[in-house]
Amino acid sequence: MIDAGLYRDVTDFAWSQHWLAGIATTFSEYGVFLLAPVILALLWRARTRGPAALAAAAWVPIAIAVALAVDTVLKSVFAEVRPCRVVPGVHTLLPCDPPTDYAFPSNHTVIVAAFAVALLLVNRKWGLWALVFAVLMGISRVYVGAHYPHDVLAGFVVGAGIGALGLVVREPLAKAAVRLIPAVSGINTHENRP
């Protein structure tokens, strides 16, 4: 791979920084679980703001699910072996995944990029923080030795592209929300009552 040298440089640096290993591996492996409370808070806030707000908020978890499905297909099509199995003599912070757990594109990065861009369409401030989170997650996947840099870049492109589809699907989702949940159409009618 063209970025195998960069991969080795990053993993060599990571191996030499013992003080950061625990933080990096924990964040890299489990950081995606931090998305759940944000999504729940987003949906909770949107529940009283009408069908458009609810549809925009609902797109965030839908985008993650779509991104993960697309990523699963891409992984099976490209079948790129993990760099820890290909680059000789590399030391990684995490054990190398099985040979059939392919690397391209990075699952974690696809998920967090879809989340960040979809969230950016709903709440700019939260979305900007989510973008920072997504960049850190992508870097961490190379840092722990799970992915080449190009796996992470591809993950960003795929995830961000799917997240951005929210611009197109929000209106149909809002119409579906009104049909499926009739009360949604009248959510704001009593908001001024004591």
Side-chain angles (χ1 to χ4, degrees), residues 168-187:
V168 177
V169 301
R170 281 191 297 191
E171 188 174 333
L173 281 175
K175 288 178 182 175
V178 171
R179 282 195 310 273
L180 295 173
I181 311 168
V184 170
S185 61
I187 280 174

Side-chain angles (χ1 to χ4, degrees), residues 15-101:
W15 191 253
S16 71
Q17 304 301 311
H18 299 289
W19 63 275
L20 189 54
I23 296 168
T25 56
T26 301
F27 175 75
S28 187
E29 283 286 278
Y30 304 109
V32 292
F33 294 109
L34 296 173
L35 306 186
V38 175
I39 291 168
L40 291 174
L42 185 69
L43 291 170
W44 182 259
R45 285 182 59 187
R47 82 193 190 289
T48 60
R49 296 183 176 184
L54 187 58
W59 174 245
V60 177
I62 293 169
I64 292 170
V66 170
L68 189 55
V70 169
D71 182 64
T72 301
V73 171
L74 290 173
K75 277 184 178 287
S76 64
V77 167
F78 288 99
E80 179 190 84
V81 178
R82 295 271 178 176
C84 48
R85 297 199 169 275
V86 177
V87 179
V90 70
H91 298 289
T92 61
L93 297 182
L94 288 176
C96 199
D97 289 315
T100 55
D101 186 359

